[in-house]
Amino acid sequence: MNSNQHHWHTLSADEVAQQLETNYQTGLSTVQVAERIAYHGPNALHEKRRRSPWRMLLDQFTEFMIMVLIVAAMISGFVGDLGDTIFIIVIVILNAAVGFVQEFRAERAMAALKRMSEASARVLRDGEVQTVNASELVPGDIVLLEAGNVVPADFRLVEAAQLRIDESALTGESVAVEKQIHPITLTEAPLGDKTCLAYKGTIVTYGRGRGLVVATGMHSELGKIATLLTEGDDSKTPLQKRLAGFGKWISLAALTICVLVFVIGITRGEPLLLMFMTSVSLAVAAIPSALPAVVTISLALGAHKMVKQHALIQSLPAVETLGSVTFICSDKTGTLTQNKMHVTSLYANGIYADNEQSKAFKNEPALVENINNPWHMFFQALALSNDAHLDSHEKIQGEPTEAAFLWAAQEAGWHKATLEKEMPRLKELAFDSERKRMTTFHHAANGVIAYSKGSPEALVSQCTRILTSSGEQAIDKAALLQQAETMAANGLRVLAFACRRWDTLPDSEQPDDLERDLIFLGFAGLIDPPRSEAKEAVSLCKSAGITPIMITGDHPATAKAIAYQLGILADEDGRVMTGAELANLDQHTFEAEVELVRVYARVDPAQKIKIVRALQDKGEIVAMTGDGVNDAPALKAAVIGIAMGKGGTDVAREAARMVLLDDNFATIVNAIRYGRRLYDNIRKFVRYAVTTNSAEVLTIFLAPFLGLPIPLLPTHILWINLVTDGLPALALTAEPAERGVMRRPPRPPQESLFSHGMWQHMIWVGLLMAGLTLFAQAWAYHTGSSHWQTMAFTVITISQLGHVMAIRSEKESLFSMGIFTNKPLVIAVVVTFVLQMATIYVPAFNPIFKTEPLTMNELVLCLALSSVVFFAVEFEKWLIRRGWIYQSQTH
């Protein structure tokens, strides 16, 4: 026996039973079950060994910058600055907590998948039907299925009575699949086309069946998805990569310069303790310890705001990551479409009408009076040859296709409940997959009328006449089938309707006798229509330089039609790559084409990952949206996975980093806009922090070369680090989005954090600040003023406030933006200025900060020198706007 055979769908039911050594009449014996469960293991999903929560928590402290911050906190405590020590420790703990929560949440994806697979099953064993836990099923078991059951394992069906199974969570198919028992000749058929198989975790929506278990646990299709979910680690986001590299670089540079300052000071004869404390203070100040806090707070505030915009962020860096997305790979069913079948096109009496046009027939007196009018008969057929119904709450219940027909008839004015009172159902021939037809018989005024519906090929062949407004006419079957083909080419699922009159209810039960000599009425075309807002969202994505990709398990024609309607495909002849084509391409060939393909159809879960990884291998930053179990591995593999909150599965939500609470593709566009704003603001903070920190380092480093004493004491440095670098820097996170943020392309994945002239800015502004500070010190020192240290302290502090106001935009002038458009920043600047003045003019603070009150002339000089930085940066932005500097790098 080989239960891992990959081609069960190509074998007959008898061949499968023979290979699995089972008996149709009695099922497996108790002994056989025990042997097989010992060999195959339980029918459950396995998990890789999880890291303990303690190990997850400890791993958060292994980042280089985090370790440097811990050392800095210890040194700060050693030199007596307990406040700075506490500040850094809080930052480190907050950062670790965020990382721990993110990893712990990711571990729940497998648990959600396991919960989905839990079920009971009715199984035939020892000749008796028993109810057992699904985990006890083994290959060879014979299991009974009925409507409402969750399929507990992978089956080869041996009986199927009107059996339909909803496989949308696994395959992406928007319509329940009609199952049958005959083998499929195509060996490598997609999952959705293996109609003689049923898969673990899917749901029986109609009918009943019986199946032979062919795969359990991790060997089932659901198990294969579980295997994909356990492979690899979560991808690091662009923000995490950039900040890790930046933190390591700036920390090493700061430590190196501080060692040089210490050595130079000792060489010049400065006191050893003073130089040690100065170097340590400078090290603490130079390392942007507030960066993790600013980033975390920015992301947390972003996540909070996104909830109000119907997006739940499960991994904080995902807020920023959306701002750098270059490709969005979206599932079709339920994401771009409504996941609800609708009748959108009708054809009768030689007229092709959409569903809105059909409403014009509602309450037309001529149609109501003329019962032989084809549209009248057509809508009666939609309503009566139908097993869907209205419940007590006036909601339609039933199989999605039939519910769509009932809704279309009702919208046009033909109500089933009213019609059934006049024309009750007398008899029916149920639909089966061989005939591809169903027929219902109803009482009529002059006898009995039978309404039939089915596939165009199966029903048109049984018709001998066609009903028109002129009565019954000769039928042109070829023309009708061509019309059906035209409708199908537009992505519609087409069904045909016909009728036949009888004097009395026929006694025969043979379909061949009852479903012949029919009169053709019309075609109805159904589709899972696009969401009304999805087209605009796709357009906005394109304007922002983001390429939307549709990936679906649905039929290529349907995928192409939806993609064209939404604008994903530029024309109706756009290329659609199928899963079969994708399977035949080697990795190298596929990667050469992957950036050109916009629609994929009939793909399986592993192929979704192949698409995502191929794009990421090409350097793209990929977001993957989806709602089904089949999407979960790709959601995890993408840099950012986006799951549907309303219609999605738990498995998809747990594997994703972001959940759309309204299942609205357009919500992603709002998130992208916010992500771009967030990244811009983080860049502004880095620009501000590194520039000001470099100014402090350069001031102390260059003073000895100019024959000046050390301009700043350790208390000055730590004050600047705590107050000036703290309040205004945090207020930068509230900066509104810059104009045109959604009209520029995504950031290149390889783009440096310091691009667009940022490193040049940090160098020249840092030098300017240091030069102005040293000028103030030198002027006071050489004129004999004892206030030289206080003046240097004041200039470097106030110039930073002018700098933070000027860098609110990388290009736009502060005066055109409006000074008060970021009120938190204005408040932070005013508060910081007041505090700085307090260190100079409040007597109690003078001995703490070693400051002395400045004269009016000295204060005016300090303010004038400090304002130079603001106007210099405004001049730089004027040059950028004219394209005279950084021209090749501007946004």
Side-chain angles (χ1 to χ4, degrees), residues 178-313:
E178 179 78 24
K179 293 296 183 179
Q180 51 85 36
I181 63 173
H182 303 295
I184 307 297
T185 56
L186 185 61
T187 303
E188 300 297 336
L191 291 185
D193 292 345
K194 298 176 183 177
T195 52
C196 59
L197 299 184
Y199 305 112
K200 182 179 176 71
T202 58
I203 301 171
V204 179
T205 61
Y206 195 81
R208 58 181 176 79
R210 181 178 296 215
L212 272 165
V213 176
V214 295
T216 59
M218 300 301 284
H219 296 298
S220 67
E221 293 298 332
L222 193 67
K224 292 173 186 176
I225 291 176
T227 302
L228 294 173
L229 274 173
T230 60
E231 290 177 353
D233 299 320
D234 287 341
S235 304
K236 279 197 171 185
T237 70
L239 178 67
Q240 291 170 318
K241 293 175 182 177
R242 289 183 178 98
L243 292 183
F246 166 68
K248 184 177 291 187
W249 177 85
I250 199 70
S251 299
L252 289 172
L255 293 174
T256 302
I257 293 174
C258 293
V259 170
L260 286 174
V261 168
F262 177 77
V263 172
I264 292 171
I266 296 299
T267 305
R268 292 185 65 231
E270 299 285 355
L272 179 65
L273 181 60
L274 175 63
M275 289 312 303
F276 174 73
M277 293 184 66
T278 301
S279 298
V280 169
S281 300
L282 199 58
V284 172
I287 297 171
S289 56
L291 180 58
V294 168
V295 172
T296 302
I297 291 170
S298 299
L299 296 175
L301 290 173
H304 178 70
K305 287 188 176 182
M306 290 308 299
V307 169
K308 295 179 181 178
Q309 298 176 22
H310 310 294
L312 174 65
I313 304 299

Side-chain angles (χ1 to χ4, degrees), residues 365-610:
L367 296 184
V368 175
E369 293 167 8
N370 182 5
I371 63 171
N372 292 314
N373 185 285
W375 284 104
H376 180 104
M377 301 286 283
F378 187 23
F379 282 117
Q380 273 197 356
L382 288 174
L384 292 173
S385 186
N386 195 317
D387 288 329
H389 65 280
L390 287 174
D391 63 16
S392 58
H393 302 288
E394 296 296 307
K395 290 186 178 181
I396 296 178
Q397 302 294 331
E399 197 272 331
T401 299
E402 300 210 323
F405 288 144
L406 185 59
W407 178 257
Q410 185 167 300
E411 283 288 282
W414 276 261
H415 297 273
K416 182 177 181 179
T418 303
L419 290 171
E420 283 187 325
K421 290 178 182 178
E422 302 171 2
M423 305 173 65
R425 183 181 296 191
L426 305 174
K427 178 178 179 178
E428 70 176 282
L429 295 176
F431 183 92
D432 73 50
S433 56
E434 290 185 22
R435 290 172 25 249
K436 297 183 180 179
R437 297 185 297 268
M438 74 168 285
T439 300
T440 56
F441 294 80
H442 302 268
H443 174 76
N446 53 354
V448 173
I449 188 168
Y451 285 118
S452 299
K453 71 178 178 191
S455 72
E457 298 80 5
L459 200 64
V460 171
S461 63
Q462 302 301 108
C463 295
T464 56
R465 306 283 283 173
I466 181 172
L467 185 62
T468 72
S469 54
S470 302
E472 296 179 14
Q473 303 287 333
I475 190 169
D476 185 343
K477 295 183 180 181
L480 287 174
L481 291 176
Q482 181 58 49
Q483 176 64 41
E485 187 66 30
T486 301
M487 293 173 69
N490 291 326
L492 300 177
R493 184 185 182 213
V494 182
L495 271 75
F497 288 79
C499 69
R500 181 180 175 182
R501 293 190 178 278
W502 301 79
D503 293 332
T504 59
L505 184 67
D507 295 329
S508 173
E509 298 293 333
Q510 297 301 315
D512 290 342
D513 295 332
L514 301 177
E515 294 176 331
R516 60 184 177 83
D517 299 327
L518 302 180
I519 301 169
F520 178 81
L521 296 176
F523 294 125
L526 305 98
I527 199 168
D528 177 13
R531 289 177 172 272
S532 58
E533 64 282 353
K535 184 173 183 177
E536 182 182 357
V538 167
S539 177
L540 284 172
C541 283
K542 288 186 171 183
S543 70
I546 301 163
T547 304
I549 301 292
M550 178 191 288
I551 304 178
T552 179
D554 227 333
H555 192 279
T558 304
K560 179 184 286 189
I562 295 292
Y564 176 66
Q565 289 179 45
L566 291 173
I568 293 175
L569 285 178
D571 55 71
E572 292 183 85
D573 297 323
R575 184 184 177 192
V576 177
M577 181 177 283
T578 64
E581 292 176 275
L582 180 56
N584 290 329
L585 294 178
D586 59 53
Q587 191 68 21
H588 178 74
T589 306
F590 178 53
E591 287 190 2
E593 294 190 47
V594 67
E595 292 178 301
L596 303 176
V597 181
R598 298 291 177 264
V599 180
Y600 297 87
R602 281 288 194 259
V603 296
D604 61 36
Q607 289 175 329
K608 291 188 178 187
I609 296 180
K610 182 177 179 180

